[in-house]
Amino acid sequence: MSQIEIAQIIEQIKQEITVDSNGQGKASIRATARLADVQDSSLRRALLSAALEPSALAQSLIQQGFSPAALETWNEGIPDMGVAAVIEYYAFDAGRYCKQQARLVCKAFNRIGVRAWMQDIMGWTKPATQPQEQPSTPALPPVEQRLHTLVLAMKTLAELTGGRLNPYMEQQFKDYAGNLLTEHNRKLLTPSEERWLGVVNFAESELGKKVPLSGAHYRGHLGTWVRTFYPHLGDRQETRLVNGVQQPIYVYACHDPAVAAGLTKAIEEFFAHPSPGAALRQAGAFASKKEKVSV
């Protein structure tokens, strides 16, 4: 018997094969008998004999772990692993009753597996799993709540220090509160996604840089660096609190990806340079006017 004839048999018994939602296949006794090239009545008797006087086939199946009670239920359909065991028996273990067709079918099954074969001919596909929901990024509390928390924190610090807060820390708190309200009010007046930040604010909040108040890389030089070497990023100024004093500072359109990328590059170059002050003097940044504070 050729593989073409086996393919024809498979096509004829296709209607007697089912695959459930878990991908487990089942074939009727008639379909299994056709694959093994035996009479379906003989196969049925061999399976039903398991409880009383097991046939050679039933004994072989029991030795492979199938219970006699399970074999009796196969009259309603043989599970895919049972089909493989039956065909293997008639291919190699049935003695003079071995069938050449069963051997050919068994070889084909060994290549792809009975379950995969049944799934394939029935067009079964594994159900798509529902994608796991990604945890949402927690939103910041409302401005009013953040300000209330800030006030309570300052009050607690004052109580712990006996009313002697570090002046610099106290001023930082006040600046933060003032700028927070300014930003909140601006969004209420002009609802948009725009974000205008000073270069120091951008470096610390977006890039995680700590911009010092003094030294070779102090914040004043950072603002001058951006205005000197990256003037195309903008020249907008706004009045904001800096160390408790309202001062004009340069702010940049950080909502614009090109501007944000330019600021990032400028800041990285600034901190990578061993002496940015010398580079600024060489570029003539301090020749004509006093540099402005930029935060």
Side-chain angles (χ1 to χ4, degrees), residues 175-196:
D175 289 354
Y176 173 77
N179 288 328
L180 186 64
L181 282 174
T182 300
E183 181 69 11
H184 175 64
N185 292 334
R186 186 186 65 80
K187 288 182 177 179
L188 289 178
L189 293 173
T190 56
S192 69
E193 297 298 324
E194 293 186 356
R195 295 178 67 244
W196 294 87

Side-chain angles (χ1 to χ4, degrees), residues 157-158 161-167 170:
L157 282 174
T161 59
R164 293 188 297 274
L165 280 178
N166 181 299
E170 184 177 5

Side-chain angles (χ1 to χ4, degrees), residues 23-221:
Q24 296 179 346
K26 183 178 288 188
S28 68
I29 288 183
R30 177 179 175 276
T32 306
R34 288 291 304 278
L35 289 171
D37 194 21
V38 297
Q39 295 293 324
D40 57 297
S41 57
S42 300
L43 178 57
R44 184 175 285 104
R45 284 195 302 271
L47 295 175
L48 292 176
S49 69
L52 300 175
E53 188 175 346
S55 63
L57 170 61
Q59 292 177 23
S60 174
L61 294 172
I62 292 171
Q63 290 174 359
Q64 295 181 55
F66 298 101
S67 67
L71 298 184
E72 292 182 357
T73 65
W74 286 8
N75 190 50
E76 301 172 359
I78 303 177
D80 45 20
M81 295 298 101
V83 172
V86 169
I87 294 175
E88 183 178 355
Y89 172 81
Y90 283 109
F92 305 107
D93 302 327
R96 63 190 181 93
Y97 297 108
C98 285
K99 301 293 184 178
Q100 177 65 19
Q101 176 180 309
R103 188 174 289 111
L104 292 174
V105 172
C106 190
K107 288 181 179 179
F109 284 173
N110 286 340
R111 295 189 184 98
I112 63 172
V114 177
R115 181 172 297 176
W117 168 73
M118 290 184 177
Q119 293 172 359
D120 179 63
I121 68 171
M122 296 305 296
W124 181 87
T125 56
K126 186 177 181 180
T129 57
Q130 293 293 333
Q132 294 183 348
E133 294 185 2
Q134 296 295 328
S136 58
T137 304
L140 287 173
V143 171
E144 296 82 359
Q145 183 177 340
R146 281 184 279 169
L147 285 174
H148 179 67
T149 303
L150 180 63
V151 171
L152 293 179
M154 291 182 65
K155 182 179 179 181
T156 301
L157 282 174
E159 293 174 352
L160 292 174
T161 59
R164 293 188 297 274
L165 280 178
N166 181 299
Y168 177 75
M169 181 182 296
E170 184 177 5
Q171 190 59 59
Q172 287 284 84
F173 275 125
K174 292 179 180 178
D175 289 354
Y176 173 77
N179 288 328
L180 186 64
L181 282 174
T182 300
E183 181 69 11
H184 175 64
N185 292 334
R186 186 186 65 80
K187 288 182 177 179
L188 289 178
L189 293 173
T190 56
S192 69
E193 297 298 324
E194 293 186 356
R195 295 178 67 244
W196 294 87
L197 300 176
V199 63
V200 172
N201 192 356
F202 180 84
E204 293 186 337
S205 64
E206 303 299 318
L207 304 182
K209 301 284 188 181
K210 182 62 179 177
V211 187
L213 294 172
S214 60
H217 296 88
Y218 96 103
R219 55 186 57 198
H221 278 173

